[in-house]
Amino acid sequence: MFSNIGWSEMMILLVAALVILGPERLPGAVRWTTQSLRQVRDYASGATTQLKQELGPEFDELRKPLAELNELRGMTPRAAVTKHLLGGDDKILRDLESAVPDKKELFGTSSGMPGAPSSTPSLSKPLTPNERPPIDFDAT
Protein backbone atom coordinates (compact mmCIF):
# COMPACT_ATOMS: atom_id res chain seq x y z
CA MET A 1 0.00 0.00 0.00
CA PHE A 2 2.84 2.36 0.85
CA SER A 3 5.37 0.93 -1.59
CA ASN A 4 6.33 4.32 -3.00
CA ILE A 5 7.13 5.85 0.41
CA GLY A 6 10.72 5.30 1.51
CA TRP A 7 12.17 5.16 4.99
CA SER A 8 13.37 8.74 4.81
CA GLU A 9 9.85 9.99 4.09
CA MET A 10 8.49 7.86 6.94
CA MET A 11 11.03 9.37 9.33
CA ILE A 12 10.07 12.90 8.21
CA LEU A 13 6.39 12.09 8.80
CA LEU A 14 7.19 10.65 12.22
CA VAL A 15 9.20 13.73 13.25
CA ALA A 16 6.45 16.04 11.94
CA ALA A 17 3.83 14.05 13.87
CA LEU A 18 5.97 14.19 16.99
CA VAL A 19 6.30 17.98 16.68
CA ILE A 20 2.63 18.58 15.85
CA LEU A 21 0.98 16.10 18.25
CA GLY A 22 3.58 15.90 20.97
CA PRO A 23 4.90 12.77 22.68
CA GLU A 24 1.81 12.27 24.87
CA ARG A 25 -0.74 12.16 22.00
CA LEU A 26 1.44 10.42 19.37
CA PRO A 27 0.83 6.77 20.51
CA GLY A 28 -2.93 7.33 20.46
CA ALA A 29 -2.77 8.86 16.99
CA VAL A 30 -0.68 5.95 15.68
CA ARG A 31 -3.12 3.45 17.23
CA TRP A 32 -6.11 5.27 15.68
CA THR A 33 -4.39 5.38 12.25
CA THR A 34 -3.56 1.66 12.25
CA GLN A 35 -7.09 0.74 13.36
CA SER A 36 -8.58 2.92 10.63
CA LEU A 37 -6.34 1.43 7.93
CA ARG A 38 -7.17 -2.10 9.13
CA GLN A 39 -10.88 -1.27 9.07
CA VAL A 40 -10.69 0.16 5.53
CA ARG A 41 -8.81 -2.96 4.38
CA ASP A 42 -11.50 -5.18 5.99
CA TYR A 43 -14.25 -3.18 4.28
CA ALA A 44 -12.53 -3.56 0.92
CA SER A 45 -12.04 -7.32 1.30
CA GLY A 46 -15.64 -7.68 2.54
CA ALA A 47 -16.92 -5.78 -0.48
CA THR A 48 -14.89 -8.04 -2.78
CA THR A 49 -16.22 -11.24 -1.18
CA GLN A 50 -19.78 -9.87 -1.22
CA LEU A 51 -19.42 -9.02 -4.91
CA LYS A 52 -18.10 -12.52 -5.61
CA GLN A 53 -21.06 -14.08 -3.78
CA GLU A 54 -23.67 -11.92 -5.51
CA LEU A 55 -22.28 -12.24 -9.04
CA GLY A 56 -21.19 -15.86 -8.74
CA PRO A 57 -19.58 -17.19 -11.92
CA GLU A 58 -20.17 -13.87 -13.69
CA PHE A 59 -17.52 -12.31 -11.45
CA ASP A 60 -14.86 -14.60 -12.97
CA GLU A 61 -16.05 -13.62 -16.45
CA LEU A 62 -15.68 -9.97 -15.43
CA ARG A 63 -12.17 -10.51 -14.07
CA LYS A 64 -10.96 -12.43 -17.14
CA PRO A 65 -10.79 -9.42 -19.55
CA LEU A 66 -9.23 -7.33 -16.79
CA ALA A 67 -6.54 -9.96 -16.26
CA GLU A 68 -5.84 -10.06 -20.01
CA LEU A 69 -5.61 -6.26 -20.09
CA ASN A 70 -3.22 -6.32 -17.14
CA GLU A 71 -1.10 -8.89 -18.97
CA LEU A 72 -0.98 -6.68 -22.07
CA ARG A 73 0.04 -3.68 -19.98
CA GLY A 74 3.31 -5.39 -19.06
CA MET A 75 3.95 -6.59 -22.62
CA THR A 76 7.11 -5.19 -24.19
CA PRO A 77 8.09 -5.75 -27.83
CA ARG A 78 10.67 -8.30 -26.72
CA ALA A 79 8.09 -10.12 -24.55
CA ALA A 80 5.57 -10.14 -27.42
CA VAL A 81 8.09 -11.65 -29.85
CA THR A 82 9.19 -14.17 -27.26
CA LYS A 83 5.65 -15.21 -26.38
CA HIS A 84 4.01 -15.31 -29.80
CA LEU A 85 6.79 -16.11 -32.25
CA LEU A 86 9.28 -18.06 -30.15
CA GLY A 87 6.85 -19.91 -27.90
CA GLY A 88 8.22 -18.37 -24.71
CA ASP A 89 11.86 -19.37 -25.31
CA ASP A 90 14.07 -16.30 -25.62
CA LYS A 91 17.33 -18.24 -26.03
CA ILE A 92 17.59 -17.09 -29.65
CA LEU A 93 17.31 -13.42 -28.66
CA ARG A 94 19.93 -13.82 -25.92
CA ASP A 95 22.32 -15.55 -28.36
CA LEU A 96 21.74 -12.76 -30.89
CA GLU A 97 22.47 -10.08 -28.28
CA SER A 98 25.69 -11.77 -27.24
CA ALA A 99 26.81 -12.15 -30.88
CA VAL A 100 26.33 -8.49 -31.87
CA PRO A 101 29.01 -6.18 -30.44
CA ASP A 102 27.97 -2.88 -28.94
CA LYS A 103 29.23 0.47 -30.28
CA LYS A 104 31.99 0.79 -27.71
CA GLU A 105 33.47 -2.59 -28.68
CA LEU A 106 33.04 -1.87 -32.37
CA PHE A 107 34.53 1.61 -32.61
CA GLY A 108 36.20 2.15 -29.25
CA THR A 109 34.08 5.23 -28.52
CA SER A 110 30.63 5.71 -27.13
CA SER A 111 29.40 7.83 -30.06
CA GLY A 112 29.80 5.12 -32.68
CA MET A 113 31.98 7.31 -34.91
CA PRO A 114 35.69 6.50 -35.25
CA GLY A 115 37.89 9.28 -33.93
CA ALA A 116 35.06 11.05 -32.12
CA PRO A 117 35.75 12.34 -28.63
CA SER A 118 34.51 9.99 -25.95
CA SER A 119 32.73 12.66 -23.95
CA THR A 120 30.81 15.76 -24.90
CA PRO A 121 32.87 18.95 -24.70
CA SER A 122 31.87 21.36 -21.99
CA LEU A 123 31.73 25.13 -22.30
CA SER A 124 34.74 26.95 -20.88
CA LYS A 125 32.47 29.45 -19.15
CA PRO A 126 28.70 29.64 -18.71
CA LEU A 127 26.77 31.88 -21.07
CA THR A 128 25.74 35.24 -19.76
CA PRO A 129 22.12 36.39 -20.11
CA ASN A 130 21.21 37.30 -23.72
CA GLU A 131 24.52 35.85 -25.03
CA ARG A 132 24.16 33.70 -28.14
CA PRO A 133 25.62 30.19 -27.95
CA PRO A 134 28.58 29.31 -30.21
CA ILE A 135 27.73 27.87 -33.63
CA ASP A 136 29.06 24.52 -34.76
CA PHE A 137 29.70 25.11 -38.49
CA ASP A 138 30.20 21.39 -39.15
CA ALA A 139 26.69 20.64 -37.90
CA THR A 140 24.90 23.47 -39.74
Side-chain angles (χ1 to χ4, degrees):
M1 182 171 171
F2 296 109
S3 61
N4 58 350
I5 297 178
W7 286 107
S8 60
E9 288 92 357
M10 292 295 266
M11 290 302 295
I12 290 172
L13 288 174
L14 184 66
V15 168
L18 185 62
V19 168
I20 293 170
L21 297 175
E24 59 275 346
R25 288 189 286 173
L26 186 62
V30 169
R31 194 174 315 113
W32 178 83
T33 304
T34 55
Q35 287 174 352
S36 298
L37 286 174
R38 191 172 296 128
Q39 191 174 19
V40 166
R41 195 176 323 137
D42 290 342
Y43 286 152
S45 64
T48 304
T49 56
Q50 184 180 2
L51 191 62
K52 280 182 184 178
Q53 289 173 354
E54 288 180 4
L55 290 178
E58 296 171 358
F59 185 74
D60 292 331
E61 294 173 8
L62 178 69
R63 288 184 62 118
K64 193 177 201 179
L66 293 176
E68 291 173 359
L69 182 65
N70 213 8
E71 181 182 332
L72 287 176
R73 186 178 294 157
M75 188 70 67
T76 61
R78 181 185 178 117
V81 167
T82 302
K83 180 180 178 185
H84 296 291
L85 298 179
L86 303 177
D89 183 23
D90 67 340
K91 184 180 182 309
I92 297 171
L93 292 176
R94 284 182 294 182
D95 291 343
L96 184 64
E97 282 179 350
S98 64
V100 175
D102 63 346
K103 288 189 280 188
K104 210 173 207 37
E105 292 174 1
L106 192 59
F107 295 114
T109 62
S110 61
S111 68
M113 297 297 294
S118 61
S119 65
T120 58
S122 62
L123 293 174
S124 59
K125 64 178 179 77
L127 297 176
T128 60
N130 297 329
E131 181 181 0
R132 297 185 74 181
I135 298 174
D136 184 7
F137 292 105
D138 292 334
T140 56

